[in-house]
Structures are given as C-alpha cells and as structure tokens.
Amino acid sequence: MKFITILAVTFFAGMGAGLGTGFAGMSAAAVISPMLITFLGMDPYMAVGIALASDVLASAVSAYTYHKNRNLDVRNGLIMMAAVLLFTVVGSYIASLLPSHTMGGFSVFMTFLLGVKFIVRPVMTTKEAMQGVSAKKRAAQSVVCGVLIGFICGFVGAGGGMMMLLILTSVLGYELKTAVGTSVFIMTFTALTGAISHFTIGGAPDWTVLALCVVFTLIWARIAAVFANKAAPKTLNRATGIVLVLLGAVIMGFNLLK
C-alpha cells in the first residue's frame, strides 16, 4: 500500500513538473517539493533536493528538443547562466544575514499570474524581430538580467524558471519557443548544481522516490517539449498559460494543506 501511494504521488508530481518544464521552462521544484512534503511527509530540504535532481534530465531532454528545432539561444544562455549562478550565491548569502523570510508563496502566485498573462496577452514575437537586436546588446542584456534573476532566486529561494521565462519574453523580447528553450538549457545546469549541494549537505535521498520522480518528470517533459515545438505560437501560448494557471492553483492548494 505504501508503494502504491509513493507511485501515485510521484506520477502526478512528475507529470505536473514535466509539463511545466517542457511547456514553460518551469522548475520541477515548484511542483514536486510541495507534493512530496504534503503527501509523503518528506523533509522539505530533501524534497527540494529530489525535485532539483528530477529537473536535471527533464530540462536537458527539453533543451535538446528545443535545440534540435532551432529554438535555443546557446550563446546568450551561457552568458546568462554564469550570471545567474554567481548571483544566486550572492543573494543567498545576503538573505542569510537578514531575519527569516517566507516568500515561496510569491513564486507560486507569480506562476499563476504568468499563466493568465500568456492566455490574455500571448507572446507573438517572431525570430526575425529577435535578430534585429545586435549581438553586443543582447549579451549585455543577458548579463544584467542574469544578475537580477540570480539575486532574486538566491534571496527568495524560488522562482528561477518563472523569472527567466518572464524576463526572456517581456524584457529581452524573445520569441516564446526560444525563451523556453533557453530557460530549460540554463535550468539543466542550475538544477544540477542545486541537487549536488542539497545531497552533499543533507545526505542520500530516498532512492525509490528519486528514481520515480526522475523518470516520470523526464517522460512528461519530453512529451510537452515535442508538442510545444510543433505547435503554432497562439496554440503554444494558450497551452503554456493553461498549464501554468493549473499548476499555480494546485500548488497553492497544496500549500494550504500543509
């Protein structure tokens, strides 16, 4: 009975996380962590570690799918990733010096609002419009935005995937597919770094839960990424918006059950 419960929880957690990753470049931690904590009674720190580990392969296979369809900006993704990783550490250090703060709810609410935004005001930027920005300007923008995303993620402790998608589409003017592809590319490395640090500090995870979460998240992320790369821009905006709204609403519900 216990294994059936674990199987059910990890399946739905992996499905939600995989769809969020493949469609919107959303971190699996936002979905998997609250489900493992709420339904399996797992230690929050370990739950985040398992979620981050699940994110690594899911983001990698999604990034590969987007890259294969030429919807990934590798050069500026690497520039932004370096800034994100560095300033996540800076933000985390500054947060450790301040009184305890709880802002996880902000990340979840932002997921919900971002979903509404994609439904009401879809991103219809074209690749031709993206190419109108000079390489130097785009690189400088990537550094500045990476600093901002990294600092907020380190300080708040959540929201990296959503922050990247919002900034890539609204600030840097990326076409939606390229924005998601670049976001999951960056998340592959940030999730790997986070997972290693969590398991180094917190010890070995529950291997059964970890394996199931990784497999289910990977499968659904691949399905979502394949669909997203074939979909028309308007269809993709609506699908992304619906996924984010549903995930945001469900996660807020889980938080109320804690």
Side-chain angles (χ1 to χ4, degrees):
M1 189 66 174
K2 184 180 178 183
F3 179 74
I4 298 298
T5 302
I6 291 174
L7 187 64
V9 171
T10 53
F11 174 79
F12 286 108
M15 180 172 67
L19 290 175
T21 299
F23 272 121
M26 181 179 176
S27 172
V31 181
I32 293 177
S33 301
M35 289 193 68
L36 296 184
I37 295 166
T38 303
F39 296 108
L40 298 183
M42 185 171 287
D43 173 70
Y45 192 84
M46 190 54 67
V48 172
I50 288 176
L52 288 169
S54 303
D55 228 354
V56 177
L57 286 179
S59 294
V61 75
S62 296
Y64 170 75
T65 304
Y66 279 91
H67 179 65
K68 192 169 68 171
N69 288 275
R70 299 184 179 181
N71 292 316
L72 171 57
D73 185 352
V74 175
R75 179 177 179 274
N76 290 298
L78 287 171
I79 293 172
M80 186 179 287
M81 180 180 67
V84 168
L85 290 173
L86 176 61
F87 278 84
T88 296
V89 176
V90 174
S92 181
Y93 174 71
I94 293 175
S96 71
L97 302 177
L98 301 175
S100 175
H101 57 282
T102 306
M103 294 185 69
F106 168 77
S107 171
V108 176
F109 189 58
M110 189 174 80
T111 299
F112 182 85
L113 288 182
L114 193 56
V116 173
K117 185 259 182 195
F118 280 122
I119 295 172
V120 177
R121 295 189 63 183
V123 176
M124 301 303 289
T125 308
T126 63
K127 287 187 178 179
E128 289 73 23
M130 281 180 58
Q131 290 167 358
V133 180
S134 70
K136 286 185 178 179
K137 183 178 179 181
R138 181 70 79 196
Q141 289 175 328
S142 298
V143 171
V144 172
C145 291
V147 168
L148 178 64
I149 294 168
F151 182 81
I152 291 174
C153 292
F155 191 78
V156 175
M162 289 300 92
M163 283 296 300
M164 274 188 278
L165 184 62
L166 179 62
I167 287 177
L168 285 170
T169 54
S170 301
V171 179
L172 298 185
Y174 273 60
E175 173 259 345
L176 182 55
K177 291 180 184 179
T178 307
V180 176
T182 305
S183 178
V184 290
F185 172 69
I186 295 171
M187 276 172 44
T188 301
F189 299 96
T190 56
L192 178 61
T193 304
I196 291 172
S197 65
H198 267 71
F199 294 147
T200 300
I201 295 169
D206 182 318
W207 295 109
T208 301
V209 174
L210 173 62
L212 289 172
C213 283
V214 168
V215 170
F216 290 137
T217 305
L218 177 63
I219 291 170
W220 285 101
R222 170 65 177 170
I223 292 171
V226 169
F227 175 85
N229 278 278
K230 291 180 179 179
K234 200 164 187 178
T235 302
L236 179 58
N237 272 273
R238 285 178 179 169
T240 302
I242 290 169
V243 167
L244 292 179
V245 167
L246 288 175
L247 289 177
V250 170
I251 297 165
M252 284 189 277
F254 289 153
N255 288 337
L256 292 175
L257 291 174
K258 288 185 196 178

